[in-house]
């Protein structure tokens, strides 16, 4: 499966999910224009995407759905329960198709029919003012020819059976249609059908504009699978040549085809509404053609033939027919009829009624009239081996009533088959023999109505043929007897009658769904149930397609039931793994330790060279280190990637949020999201959610003005809120900007003053930017009324601390009347921290490098004391000095080096610079910072700990807390 | 060219496509008693067939391909 298809499937599932959700939402808000539009858009997109691929069924259904939703959102069709139901069914169908595609399953042929039904159901709602009741659709789809059959009681079972049989046997081709087909073809087709092939009449009526759509219907028709004959006919009279539009298609195409119906439907899957496939009653093909040169000699023949027929002397009749044929001109009607008779006589159980009709047609010189009832005879191909077996099998097939004698006959057949299978396997015609036995057994099963056994027989037969041994079939037969087969027959109705209640339950549920359940067993699905219950004449006359349908089978029916119950939101196997976060954390820890450990290797190499004098060794170590380094880096990157989430994860809920809030406030806001693919570590992304929501709420509540106010100040009525994410080296920057009224420093200043957050002196001196930043002060809020949206004062200070907790930072810029911009800067990942190592009282500590501005040595004498604090003047600025030891309550004083200097680590906390007196500097390192857990976690002075390359533990200071 | 226009015979060869129908229609205007020779024809787009059927053209040579021939037989009659 290529990438495009994978993407399509993933998107489709999302879209289907969205459609489902919106349909649910619409139930509660049936007038919601927005939902309708969204729904329309989803269906529209889905349809467009499906058109890229070869999924005509999906596209068909989606197209109907799209047209329907378009009408709904334009108010032309009223949203209703029925509409929702049908759409849901259609989407379930689409979802099933997606599953098939994903699993690489070939689409179920019933899908085409299904698609047409669903699409029709959807379009119906379009053309009618009110949604029609689902029943007509169900009736049209499910029951078709004989709905009455479903109601039949046992008494009328036979008539139901016969009408079911007729429907099942296929419609009779009208004689004029039949005569279009050359006799040779018809003879052959009839023979094929007698050997079990299904005959279909495909009538294909392309649209007038089909040429312009690039279609060549003749080509299409010529390639119909199993085509035996084809012809075209003009729909109307041809206009004068001068007025002819050659590119307007006026031809209808007809094809007589044999083989599975599914193959035909698959072939025409792009134009199912243009074709009509009818089963053909093979007997109707037997229409004599030719010169009806009548004469008294024929009457003699007719009389003789009828006599022979009545006597049952088929051999004699055959002789009469062939001798007559030799004498007659082949172009005569007589000869044609004789040829047909010859063909019928050549079958194993010649149908006497058919022969009679043919003979009579000689007298009347009109097309023979066949009694449809007897024509749907179960066909059994003659066994090449023992004739007796074949004959008894067909005798069984012909017997109308189930009784002891039938069982006997069946047993006789089975015995013969056993004998045949007992013959040695080394005959060169073993395959033929095995196939013959299979045919005989198949006929038996069908005759007994034990279609459930067919699959296992088929399997055993295939095995036998493949292994060229009778054993599999022998074993199959050994497990069975006449009784067991008869019992299997009684078992079968249970299965099919299970179909009937399922079908009725289905109709109760929803229309198109009902169409789906009987789809595997087409047309009179309810009919076989009562028919089989009667289990009489129905059984032997059950024609091949019905049994075929029952066989492949109950499994398919069960499948249909399962499908019917499955909904679009049942999950199928996905291409992603759900991994416990702890597993990923473990991976991260391990790679972290690996990084640190590998960093020790260059030092080892240096030691090898300097201390131990092994230069060569050092070089080799360094080379190997390069390899390890590369691999470790890649591994680290890969593991980080596992935890990376795109910001869209957080962003995707914003459109809804903005819409809801702006609506509530009565403001018009246009939300623009940019850089949604920007990714960062999972923890960081997740920690963004709340702050961002808060910022957005603020923006909408306080920042953006009401449309009228905006217009009054010359701004467009619709405010714009832009959220942009981008990556900048090792940081992720998120910018939220609006074009609202901005933050007024004056207002802030005064508010802060009122809340006693600043004093008067500061009030006068504070800069605008600093004033604006006062919003970050805890307890600050300018909102007069605490709305449920914002203004509770849990605001910006919480936002800032949340951001800083993940080592991020937040800045606020604003211009009164123009807008506000908030920028969040976050690390890409939380893992690796750069620290500066310092020693104090011979203990090693780490300080995050981003806080360190300078390392400097300060002569002792430069240190002043100001108000019990020590300070030093550095480059014109006063920097307070604090001993790390005293901060950590370590008794020892800072060490002074040989030059009488302190080691001072200049750090910047927020706005202030502080000098930390330490004993010694020890360089920088990349470490994996791990927060202290458990009891130690309460020590806020430490940000965490890290493992160093030599195995020792580094305590990393949390300077903010410490200072 | 799939269609060769002789004096009284239109000779169709190989695959006659949809574009050829226009020229065929043009050429046939005002002409009578034209025959079509499809001996070497393997497929003909139905647009052309429509022209032939409307003009009542008879077939002087049937396609060598019997399948195509059988289809054409349902639409056109033989000249013989």
């Amino acid at each position: 499966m290529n990438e495009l298809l994978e993407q399509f499937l993933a998107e489709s599932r999302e879209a289907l999910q969205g459609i489902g959700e919106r349909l649910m939402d619409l139930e509660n808000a049936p007038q919601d224009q927005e939902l309708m539009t969204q729904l329309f858009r989803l269906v529209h997109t889905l349809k467009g995407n499906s058109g890229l691929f070869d999924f005509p069924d999906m596209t068909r259904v989606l197209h109907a759905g799209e047209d329907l939703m378009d009408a709904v959102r334009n108010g032309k069709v009223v949203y209703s329960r029925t509409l929702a139901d049908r759409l849901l069914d259609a989407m379930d169908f689409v979802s099933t198709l997606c599953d098939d595609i994903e699993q690489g399953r070939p689409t179920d042929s019933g899908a085409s029919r299904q698609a047409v039904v669903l699409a029709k159901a959807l379009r119906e709602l379009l053309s009618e003012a009110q949604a029609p009741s689902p029943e007509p659709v169900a009736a049209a789809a499910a029951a078709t020819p004989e709905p009455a059959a479903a109601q039949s009681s046992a008494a009328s079972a036979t008539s139901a059976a016969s009408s079911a049989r007729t429907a099942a046997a296929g419609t009779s081709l009208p004689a004029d249609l039949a005569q279009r087909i050359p006799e040779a073809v018809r003879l052959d087709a009839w023979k094929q059908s007698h050997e079990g092939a299904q005959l279909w009449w495909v009538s294909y009526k392309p649209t007038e504009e089909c040429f312009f759509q690039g279609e060549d219907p003749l080509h299409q028709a010529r390639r119909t699978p199993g085509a035996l004959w084809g012809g075209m006919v003009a729909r109307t009279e041809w206009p004068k040549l001068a007025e002819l539009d050659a590119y307007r298609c006026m031809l209808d195409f007809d094809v007589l085809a044999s083989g599975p119906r599914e193959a035909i439907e698959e072939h025409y899957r792009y134009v199912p509404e243009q074709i009509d496939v009818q089963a053909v009653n093979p007997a109707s093909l037997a229409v004599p053609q030719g010169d009806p040169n009548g004469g008294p000699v024929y009457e003699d023949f007719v009389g003789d033939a009828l006599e022979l027929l009545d006597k049952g002397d088929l051999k004699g009749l055959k002789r009469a027919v062939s001798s007559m044929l030799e004498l007659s001109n082949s172009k005569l009607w007589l000869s044609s009829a004789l040829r047909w008779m010859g063909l019928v006589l050549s079958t194993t159980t010649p149908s006497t009624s058919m022969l009679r009709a043919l003979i009579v047609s000689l007298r009347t010189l009109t097309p023979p009239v066949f009694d449809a009832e007897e024509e749907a005879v179960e066909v059994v191909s003659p066994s090449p081996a023992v004739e007796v077996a074949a004959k008894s099998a067909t005798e069984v097939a012909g017997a109308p009533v189930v009784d002891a004698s039938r069982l006997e006959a069946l047993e006789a057949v089975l015995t013969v088959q056993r004998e045949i299978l007992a013959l040695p396997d080394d005959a060169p015609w073993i395959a033929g023999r095995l196939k013959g036995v299979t045919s005989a057994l198949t006929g038996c099963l069908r005759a007994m109505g034990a279609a459930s056994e067919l699959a296992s027989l088929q399997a055993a037969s295939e095995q036998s043929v493949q292994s060229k041994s009778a054993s599999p079939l022998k074993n199959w037969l050994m497990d069975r007897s006449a009784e067991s087969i008869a019992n299997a027959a009684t078992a079968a109705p249970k299965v099919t009658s299970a179909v009937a209640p399922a079908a009725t339950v289905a109709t109760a549920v929803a229309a198109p769904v009902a169409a789906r359940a009987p789809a595997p067993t087409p047309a009179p699905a309810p009919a076989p149930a009562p028919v089989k219950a009667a289990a009489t004449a129905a059984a032997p006359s059950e024609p091949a397609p019905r049994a075929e349908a029952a066989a492949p089978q109950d499994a398919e029916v069960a499948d249909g039931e399962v499908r019917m119950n499955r909904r679009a939101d049942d999950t199928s196997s996905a291409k992603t793994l759900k991994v416990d976060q702890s597993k990923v954390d473990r991976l991260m820890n391990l790679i972290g330790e690996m990084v640190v450990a590998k960093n020790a290797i260059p030092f080892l190499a240096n030691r090898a060279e300097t201390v131990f004098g092994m230069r060569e060794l050092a070089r080799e170590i360094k080379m190997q280190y390069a390899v390890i380094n590369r691999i470790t880096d890649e591994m680290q990157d890969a593991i980080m990637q596992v935890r990376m989430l795109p910001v869209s994860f957080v962003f995707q809920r914003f459109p809804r949020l903005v819409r809801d809030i702006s609506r509530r406030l009565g403001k018009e806001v246009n939300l623009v999201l940019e850089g949604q693919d920007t990714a960062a570590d999972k923890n960081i992304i997740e920690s963004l959610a709340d702050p961002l929501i808060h910022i957005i709420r603020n923006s909408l509540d306080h920042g953006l003005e009401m449309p009228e106010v905006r217009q009054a100040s010359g701004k467009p009525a619709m405010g714009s809120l832009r959220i942009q994410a981008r990556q900048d080296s090792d940081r992720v920057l998120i910018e939220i900007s609006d074009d609202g009224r901005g933050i007024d420093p004056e207002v802030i200043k005064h508010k802060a003053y009122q809340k006693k957050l600043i004093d008067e002196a500061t009030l006068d001196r504070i800069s605008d930017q600093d004033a604006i930043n006062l919003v970050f002060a805890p307890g600050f809020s300018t909102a007069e009324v605490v709305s449920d949206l914002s203004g509770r004062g849990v605001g910006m200070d919480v936002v800032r601390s949340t951001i800083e907790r993940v080592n991020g930072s937040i800045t606020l810029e604003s211009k009164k009347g123009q807008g506000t911009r908030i920028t969040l800067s976050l690390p890409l990942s939380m893992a690796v921290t750069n620290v500066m190592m310092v020693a104090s009282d011979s203990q090693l500590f780490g300080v995050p490098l981003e806080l360190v501005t300078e390392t400097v040595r300060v002569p002792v004498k430069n240190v002043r004391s100001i108000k019990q604090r020590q300070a030093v003047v550095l480059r014109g600025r006063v920097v307070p000095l604090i001993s790390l030891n005293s901060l950590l309550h370590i008794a020892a004083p800072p060490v002074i080096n040989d030059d009488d200097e302190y080691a001072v680590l200049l750090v910047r906390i927020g706005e202030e610079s502080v000098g930390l007196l330490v004993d010694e500097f020890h360089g920088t390192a990349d470490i994996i910072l791990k927060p202290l857990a458990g009891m130690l976690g309460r020590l806020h002075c430490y940000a965490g700990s890290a493992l160093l390359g030599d195995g020792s533990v580094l305590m990393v200071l949390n300077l903010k807390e410490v200072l | 060219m799939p269609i060769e226009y002789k004096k009284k015979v239109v000779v169709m060869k190989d695959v006659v496509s949809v574009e050829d129908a226009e020229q065929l229609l043009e050429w046939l205007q005002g002409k009578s008693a034209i025959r079509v020779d499809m001996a070497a024809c393997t497929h003909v787009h139905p647009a052309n067939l429509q022209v032939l059927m409307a003009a009542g053209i008879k077939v002087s040579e049937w396609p060598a391909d019997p399948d195509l021939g059988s289809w054409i037989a349902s639409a056109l009659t033989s000249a013989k």
Side-chain angles (χ1 to χ4, degrees), chain A residues 62-264:
Chain A
L62 289 170
H63 195 151
E66 177 196 37
D67 288 345
L68 180 61
M69 281 320 299
D70 198 21
V72 169
R73 74 170 178 162
N74 291 331
K76 295 204 191 109
V77 174
V78 170
Y79 177 82
S80 70
R81 245 316 158 53
T82 323
L83 195 148
D85 287 341
R86 289 191 192 180
L87 262 176
L88 280 169
D89 287 330
M91 293 308 130
D92 283 348
F93 173 69
V94 172
S95 175
T96 319
L97 285 180
C98 284
D99 290 340
D100 284 346
I101 295 163
E102 194 167 25
Q103 304 290 340
R105 280 199 292 262
T107 6
D108 173 21
S109 59
S112 290
R113 249 173 291 155
Q114 182 69 359
V116 174
V117 166
L118 286 169
K120 204 160 129 201
L122 290 169
R123 287 195 188 279
E124 249 178 24
L125 295 168
L126 262 177
S127 52
E128 303 187 23
Q130 279 172 327
S133 69
E135 276 68 54
V137 181
T144 3
E146 307 297 328
Q151 262 60 271
S152 67
S153 62
S156 55
T158 22
S159 61
S162 61
S163 52
R165 246 179 290 142
T166 331
T171 45
S172 292
L173 267 183
D176 56 345
L177 271 186
Q179 283 181 327
R180 280 170 71 192
I181 310 172
E183 187 180 287
V185 176
R186 278 186 279 129
L187 286 167
D188 180 55
W190 190 91
K191 194 142 96 85
Q192 277 193 32
S193 102
H194 211 71
E195 282 160 13
Q198 259 275 246
L199 291 179
W200 306 99
W201 183 259
V202 183
S203 124
Y204 172 31
K205 296 177 169 32
T207 57
E208 280 188 5
E209 319 83 39
C210 71
F211 295 166
F212 291 106
Q213 290 163 355
E215 287 172 28
D216 180 347
L218 176 58
H219 190 250
Q220 179 85 338
R222 275 181 79 183
R223 298 177 75 106
T224 307
L228 297 168
W229 172 90
M232 42 194 161
V233 74
R235 278 179 216 154
T236 58
E237 270 194 40
W238 294 108
K240 285 209 260 286
L241 202 59
E243 295 157 23
L244 176 70
D245 178 1
Y247 291 129
R248 190 165 66 99
C249 181
M250 286 171 50
L251 296 170
D252 286 337
F253 297 80
D254 296 308
V255 178
L256 176 71
S258 70
R261 189 191 180 124
E262 293 77 43
I264 299 174

Side-chain angles (χ1 to χ4, degrees), chain B residues 4-11 27 31-35:
Chain B
E4 203 189 307
Y5 296 97
K6 297 215 179 117
K7 247 174 128 197
K8 282 282 186 184
V9 180
V10 176
V11 184
W27 190 85
K31 295 203 171 59
S32 59
I34 304 294
R35 304 274 178 261

Side-chain angles (χ1 to χ4, degrees), chain A residues 667-670 698-707 709-710 713-722 736-744 813-821:
Chain A
K667 297 181 184 169
E668 288 170 34
V669 181
N670 178 30
N698 270 350
S699 184
L700 290 171
D701 206 11
H702 305 303
L704 291 169
E705 319 93 321
M706 298 292 287
V709 176
R710 287 179 66 88
S713 50
K715 289 185 194 172
M718 179 167 274
S720 92
L721 178 61
R722 192 174 78 135
I736 305 105
S737 50
D738 68 55
D739 63 350
R741 64 165 74 93
I743 300 179
D744 186 351
E813 293 161 286
S814 181
K815 217 164 183 144
K816 180 174 170 187
Q818 285 187 12
T820 312
R821 183 168 64 198

Side-chain angles (χ1 to χ4, degrees), chain A residues 19 22 34-46 65-71 73:
Chain A
I19 292 171
R22 274 158 192 78
E34 175 69 23
L35 278 174
M36 289 184 205
T37 312
Q38 280 180 11
L39 198 49
F40 167 77
R41 282 212 199 102
L42 282 169
V43 178
H44 171 74
T45 309
L46 200 48
E66 177 196 37
D67 288 345
L68 180 61
M69 281 320 299
D70 198 21
R73 74 170 178 162

Side-chain angles (χ1 to χ4, degrees), chain A residues 180 211 215-219 221-222 229-232 234 238-239 241-242 244-251 253-255, chain B residues 18-22 25 28-30 42-47 49-51 53-55 65 67-68 70-72 74-75:
Chain A
R180 280 170 71 192
F211 295 166
E215 287 172 28
D216 180 347
L218 176 58
H219 190 250
R222 275 181 79 183
W229 172 90
M232 42 194 161
W238 294 108
L241 202 59
L244 176 70
D245 178 1
Y247 291 129
R248 190 165 66 99
C249 181
M250 286 171 50
L251 296 170
F253 297 80
D254 296 308
V255 178
Chain B
V18 60
E19 292 97 30
D20 300 315
E22 186 148 16
L25 180 56
L28 283 173
Q29 298 286 350
T42 50
H43 183 73
V44 54
H45 189 280
L49 286 175
Q50 295 198 133
V51 175
M53 286 162 88
D65 175 2
D67 166 70
L68 180 62
S70 136
W71 275 97
I72 305 291
S74 67

